[in-house]
Amino acid sequence: MQIFKEIAPLRAFLIEMKASGKSVGLVPTMGALHEGHLTLLQQSRSENSLTVCTIYVNPTQFNNPEDLTKYPRTLEKDTELLESVGCDVLFCPENDQMYDAGGTIRFDFGSLDKVMEGEFRPGHFSGVALVVSKLFHIVEPHVAYFGQKDWQQFAVISRLVKELKFNLTLKAVPTVREPNGLAMSSRNLRLTPQQTETATLLSKALTQAREQLRAGKTIDDVKNGVSQLLLHPDVRLEYFEVADSENLTLLNSVVESNKPILCMAAFVGEVRLIDNMFL
Ligand code: AMP
């Protein structure tokens, strides 16, 4: 695996690879890699001749300074994992590479970034859009892979690609879960063993809500059920919403959308987790 910390040599390498006819798949991550990330990498490997993984904990997408400082950083182990799955290129820049001209450009995605994550993490999607734009410009991939786990992020990036005319295909990869249903996340590393068990309440609540909605219960009733299920001293529900999965409009009834998605965020102890399921 080729490892780059700087943009110029990475670009030179990729120009050469593309000139020799190689297709490039990009998997942007913030590291602390787990099976979810590896699934994205495997899909990229199976669909492209060259796979680039980026590891960069992007400061502009953190609205909470403590979340940024406590974000797990495990670059040595990540590098080994990437080698073991046959990743071709790792790009792991420092802040001065990515933000040498400051990070003051702001994005506004209208209704897409005002609800759910956008409401509770103001500025988050602007930071995501900024760093993803930078990565798209640097790598110019043919295909970029993102997880369904961060569905609102996928919706925002889809809009970004459309608006800014990035010449690439976006793919969403289904959420990878632990056998007990917990969605894999780098932030799970910050949970105690007890909290890891408690965190399974999130996927349990989503599964229960999905079943109840399919059985014809109203969204209001289902929301009450979710709040009840998450009544636990170590859990604080931030939101549970049913939304249209494309424009992210919050629904009052599932018939208002062709493809509704159930989304939630909750703190388990001090760790904020998100999860979602399609209806
Ligand atoms: P992160 O490092 O958390 O920014 O995630 C990097 C990419 O991996 C994003 O596109 C995430 O949506 C995706 N991802 C994170 N967790 C999972 C998971 N459990 N299953 C599938 N994809 C995931």
Side-chain angles (χ1 to χ4, degrees), residues 89-161:
V89 175
L90 166 61
F91 177 52
C92 47
E94 302 287 344
N95 286 335
D96 59 356
Q97 275 292 300
M98 295 299 279
Y99 286 103
D100 59 328
T104 53
I105 296 173
R106 299 278 178 272
F107 287 83
D108 188 330
F109 291 92
S111 55
L112 279 187
D113 66 355
K114 304 297 178 293
V115 294
M116 301 192 286
E117 289 305 283
E119 180 184 347
F120 287 94
R121 301 185 70 189
H124 168 65
F125 287 119
S126 179
V128 168
L130 183 56
V131 77
V132 168
S133 299
K134 287 169 188 263
L135 293 172
F136 285 173
H137 280 304
I138 294 164
V139 176
E140 297 190 87
H142 298 92
V143 190
Y145 298 83
F146 293 87
Q148 185 201 312
K149 159 91 175 6
D150 299 275
W151 181 259
Q152 191 171 5
Q153 167 172 284
F154 188 76
V156 165
I157 294 171
S158 301
R159 178 73 59 84
L160 180 79
V161 165

Side-chain angles (χ1 to χ4, degrees), residues 40-83:
L40 270 63
L41 286 159
Q42 272 145 10
Q43 187 164 337
S44 172
R45 293 233 320 132
S46 71
E47 295 175 354
N48 303 281
S49 33
L50 195 100
T51 290
V52 179
C53 178
T54 65
I55 296 184
Y56 179 57
V57 182
N58 169 39
T60 62
Q61 72 186 73
F62 284 80
N63 54 318
N64 175 346
E66 194 180 320
D67 191 27
L68 174 60
T69 49
K70 290 197 171 164
Y71 199 86
R73 289 161 172 88
T74 57
L75 188 57
E76 210 168 305
K77 193 169 155 241
D78 290 348
T79 309
E80 282 168 23
L81 267 175
L82 289 172
E83 295 268 14

Side-chain angles (χ1 to χ4, degrees), residues 27-31 33-37 39-40 61 71 145-150 153 173-177 183-187:
V27 180
T29 82
M30 298 202 298
L33 301 179
H34 50 67
E35 277 298 319
H37 298 116
T39 304
L40 270 63
Q61 72 186 73
Y71 199 86
Y145 298 83
F146 293 87
Q148 185 201 312
K149 159 91 175 6
D150 299 275
Q153 167 172 284
V173 179
T175 304
V176 179
R177 298 176 180 282
M184 290 191 185
S185 164
S186 306
R187 288 187 175 84

